[in-house]
Amino acid sequence: MPISTNAESRAPVADGGEGTAVMVSNRQVLVFRVPYLGMSPAERARRAMRNIEQALDMGGPGQVTVKNTPQGLLIFVDGLMTVILADVDVDPMSGETLDTLTTRTVQALQKSIRENQESRDTHHLLLNLAMVGAATLLAVVLYQVASFVRARSMAALLRFIDDKAGSLGAGASEILRRDRLIAVVRSVDLVVRWLLGLLLAYAWLSFSLLRFPYTRPWGEGLHHYLVSVAVRLFEGIVGAVPDLIIAVLILLLARGAAGVVSSFFTRIEQGHLGVHWMSADSAGPTRRIATWGIWLFALAMAYPYLPGAQTEAFKGMSVLVGLMMSLGASSLVGQVAGGLILTYSSMLRKGEYVRIGDHEGTVVSIGAFNTRIRTGLGEEITLPNSLIVGSATKNYSRAVKGLGYVVDTVVTIGYDTPWRQVHAMLIEAAKRTPGVLLDPAPTVFQTSLSDFYPEYRLVCQAIPAEPRPRAEVLANLHAHIQDVFNENGVQIMSPHYMQDPDSAKVVPPSRWFTPPAQAPREPG
């Protein structure tokens, strides 16, 4: 007998409680929620199902009738009373009446009785089994046909990729990376194959369950679920179109505004337009900042109109992104703040030769997060902006006359060598070095009188006819200093004493102007 014997089966109630369901042929007929006539909901459900089972066992036509009595509405099946419905069974929160509850119960009971009678029909059962077998065969054939079409399409697509990769040449083949492209295509093919198989299996299972009375409620649930999902997707797509149009319009306006702002600051950067409130060096970073600001504002405005923006998944992703940004905000804000300080305080400019900590080279670019400098040794160093702002920076290009950069070096010579001779030799070495300018003239400073030797610093300005790294100019300068000192018989050595010398290390006036030093001409 295909009548559920689980009299304790539970069903949700409109007010949040639970009742006991009356199940016939695996289909819910009604739910008892309150006791009546001294019987609990579970007892009422058990008696109702036992009465319905007795009526069906009699093999009658299954005619359902209703009789109104003082105790309530009595529902009969082939003259046998099965269910009693009273006003207490009506859920007031649902707006239902006793008459509508009775009508709905009668309809559900009639449907369950028909399915019960259908389950007793052997001919109908065999016919349904044949239909399930035909559906199974049709599903297999459809899957094989779809697999054949998919395989032929994949082969044609792979041949197309091979032909295009061969016609584009070796360079383009490296860019396209045929193996990666084929891997992507195969991944898409795998997803399509699984989706097709799952869809066919879902349709076959729903059709098969609908063929048999006991499993028909499950098949109806699968069918309704698929239809409801499709309807919701269609309604969601149609409903999202107006908001999506607004979001696209906002992004298009942002793109136009960003283009106008970018063109304006690009003209300032290239020198085609001059404004008193911004230099050409600051125009590039300002252009990037303004563009970022426009796009961030546009995204904030378009966010509420994006499809799914109000869903819990989208909100959860927003919280995750916000948390990640918060964790890295200190470093990010520090880098950006350093970039703004470097940009608008004019600490560094592109093309200047600087020394930052232990690193020395020409400034290549100043970005929002880091600054790149290129040394004369074939290296490019990337330094965080926060490090630059927090350390001492030497700028060899800022204080020079015109273009170029400062080149300086230090030598220490004993006190017994005339300082005028050392000055003359250092200046002579500077004049011989390619790239060192004669205007402004090289200058020598005595920066220290130590216990054993004076310290001489040669300072000159270099800007070669062809761009040369500062390291190359400095290397040539050191080489010429050694040559000039060797030519004049002066050793480059810093003396240190273990005891007092036998004679004082002094330079007599007769040696004050030892070549290449020249005595000043007397006036007249």
Side-chain angles (χ1 to χ4, degrees), residues 418 420 506-514 519:
R420 298 176 180 84
V506 298
V507 180
S510 60
R511 295 178 54 206
W512 282 5
F513 299 100
T514 304

Side-chain angles (χ1 to χ4, degrees), residues 463-478:
I463 176 171
E466 298 180 359
R468 292 170 179 259
R470 184 174 183 274
E472 181 180 344
V473 176
L474 192 60
N476 291 331
L477 178 60
H478 289 162

Side-chain angles (χ1 to χ4, degrees), residues 161 173-174 176-186:
I161 293 174
S173 298
E174 288 296 325
L176 291 178
R177 296 302 299 271
R178 173 185 174 277
D179 53 344
R180 294 186 179 180
L181 190 58
I182 291 177
V184 171
V185 172
R186 293 190 183 278

Side-chain angles (χ1 to χ4, degrees), residues 451-452 495-505:
D451 292 340
F452 307 115
H496 286 254
Y497 299 107
M498 299 300 296
Q499 59 182 4
D500 291 336
D502 295 334
S503 59
K505 294 294 184 178

Side-chain angles (χ1 to χ4, degrees), residues 223-237:
H223 178 73
H224 293 159
Y225 177 77
L226 183 61
V227 172
S228 62
V229 168
V231 171
R232 286 201 302 270
L233 287 176
F234 179 76
E235 292 177 349
I237 293 173

